Amino acid sequence: MNILIVYAHPKPDSLTGALKDVAVRQLRSDGHEVIVSDLYAMGWKAHADTGDFGEVDQDNFMLASGEAYDRGSLAADIRAEQEKLLWADAVLLHFPLWWFAMPAILKGWVDRVFTCGFAYGAGGTALPRYGAGVLSGKRAMLVVSIGGREPSYSDRGINGHLDALLYPINHGILYYPGMDVLPPFPVYGTIRMDDRRFQEVADDLRHRLTHLADLDPIPYRPQSGGDYDRTLRLRPGRESPGATGFDLHLAS
């Protein structure tokens, strides 16, 4: 497979950086082609603005990005990342959980690269989306370093369940343009990790990546599958028994 790793951490010798290196070595040893977008090393511009578009006629920012995409006038760094996404069969996002979300530089990568006309709004409409789109058939997975301990991110944990915290990324960013989203690979307790624990985590990551092509994706409901009405609300009776919140959008 062709695999794109988008890596966001300012320190190359961080745990996140070390796990990124483990992933690259394992994937290449398994015969995959790997490209790494190291956002901090690239000096990635994190904020989207009209300077990304060149000369366009649209005043609406979203539509202007779509016009720039259609005209081929998007900034060169954006076009390069879009080409990597089109090349990739799988995309791994490696990042630390900062303030319950991805680092700003990685959010900025999404804001600038997932433009109208590319990741959504193809053909001037809001469709296809949620299970369909230009990135359909590609696999995606988060590798997330987390300072807190696992119980605090559980069903009764003070920080909230990790699946809920990552839902905006997994469902709202990766599934929206059609990617098959794999269960994340979280690494808890990263503030106090000794060499033994690191080797255990590295072995687990190697094992996960060896089976990257075989893992079952999170069973999100596709928008076009008939489960949603015209207002995009889940139809009554479609939910799994006892499902609430974000779990309503998981097929049984």
Side-chain angles (χ1 to χ4, degrees), residues 114 117-122 125-138 170-181 220-225 228:
F114 281 40
F118 175 73
Y120 68 97
T125 70
L127 297 175
R129 61 186 180 188
Y130 290 121
V134 71
L135 302 182
S136 292
K138 300 178 184 294
N170 280 330
H171 189 266
I173 293 174
L174 300 175
Y175 188 62
Y176 190 101
M179 303 182 85
D180 294 326
V181 185
Y220 292 131
R221 300 175 186 273
Q223 179 176 319
S224 61
Y228 298 95

Side-chain angles (χ1 to χ4, degrees), residues 46-132:
H47 64 279
D49 56 32
T50 55
D52 291 337
F53 304 151
E55 295 295 327
V56 294
D57 299 323
Q58 284 283 351
D59 293 326
N60 178 279
F61 189 85
M62 178 190 73
L63 297 179
S65 75
E67 181 183 340
Y69 175 75
D70 290 339
R71 287 188 176 187
S73 64
L74 284 170
D77 59 346
I78 296 174
R79 296 198 308 270
E81 296 304 299
Q82 289 178 341
E83 288 300 317
K84 293 176 188 177
L85 281 167
L86 294 175
W87 166 86
D89 300 305
V91 179
L92 306 180
L93 303 186
H94 279 246
F95 63 93
L97 193 71
W98 286 354
W99 285 107
F100 300 91
M102 59 174 65
I105 197 169
L106 180 54
K107 179 55 164 59
W109 180 85
V110 174
D111 288 346
R112 297 183 65 222
V113 175
F114 281 40
T115 64
C116 180
F118 175 73
Y120 68 97
T125 70
L127 297 175
R129 61 186 180 188
Y130 290 121

Side-chain angles (χ1 to χ4, degrees), residues 5-249:
I5 294 177
V6 185
Y7 161 66
H9 198 289
K11 290 179 62 63
D13 59 350
S14 64
L15 174 67
T16 303
L19 291 175
K20 178 263 296 177
D21 292 340
V22 168
V24 170
R25 289 193 295 268
Q26 183 62 46
L27 291 167
R28 287 178 174 162
S29 70
D30 288 340
H32 302 296
E33 295 291 328
V34 181
I35 292 177
V36 178
S37 286
D38 182 339
L39 299 184
Y40 282 94
M42 293 161 60
W44 180 261
K45 181 173 81 99
H47 64 279
D49 56 32
T50 55
D52 291 337
F53 304 151
E55 295 295 327
V56 294
D57 299 323
Q58 284 283 351
D59 293 326
N60 178 279
F61 189 85
M62 178 190 73
L63 297 179
S65 75
E67 181 183 340
Y69 175 75
D70 290 339
R71 287 188 176 187
S73 64
L74 284 170
D77 59 346
I78 296 174
R79 296 198 308 270
E81 296 304 299
Q82 289 178 341
E83 288 300 317
K84 293 176 188 177
L85 281 167
L86 294 175
W87 166 86
D89 300 305
V91 179
L92 306 180
L93 303 186
H94 279 246
F95 63 93
L97 193 71
W98 286 354
W99 285 107
F100 300 91
M102 59 174 65
I105 197 169
L106 180 54
K107 179 55 164 59
W109 180 85
V110 174
D111 288 346
R112 297 183 65 222
V113 175
F114 281 40
T115 64
C116 180
F118 175 73
Y120 68 97
T125 70
L127 297 175
R129 61 186 180 188
Y130 290 121
V134 71
L135 302 182
S136 292
K138 300 178 184 294
R139 319 206 103 200
M141 189 179 80
L142 309 181
V143 181
V144 189
S145 303
I146 303 168
R149 294 178 296 174
E150 184 172 2
S152 66
Y153 291 92
S154 64
D155 54 347
R156 298 171 67 88
I158 192 171
N159 292 321
H161 199 291
L162 186 66
D163 288 347
L165 296 178
L166 297 180
Y167 183 87
I169 305 172
N170 280 330
H171 189 266
I173 293 174
L174 300 175
Y175 188 62
Y176 190 101
M179 303 182 85
D180 294 326
V181 185
L182 305 179
F185 186 89
V187 182
Y188 297 98
T190 59
I191 295 175
R192 297 176 179 87
M193 181 173 291
D194 57 22
D195 290 342
R196 180 187 61 80
R197 175 61 180 148
F198 175 79
Q199 290 304 321
E200 292 174 351
V201 170
D203 287 343
D204 289 344
L205 180 58
R206 293 186 190 100
H207 182 266
R208 171 75 75 93
L209 295 175
T210 297
H211 296 280
L212 191 65
D214 307 320
L215 294 171
D216 291 331
I218 300 170
Y220 292 131
R221 300 175 186 273
Q223 179 176 319
S224 61
D227 287 334
Y228 298 95
D229 63 21
R230 290 186 177 181
T231 68
L232 299 184
R233 279 179 61 86
L234 187 67
R235 297 181 188 277
R238 300 296 177 98
E239 67 272 17
S240 301
T244 59
F246 295 144
D247 286 347
L248 290 171
H249 305 293

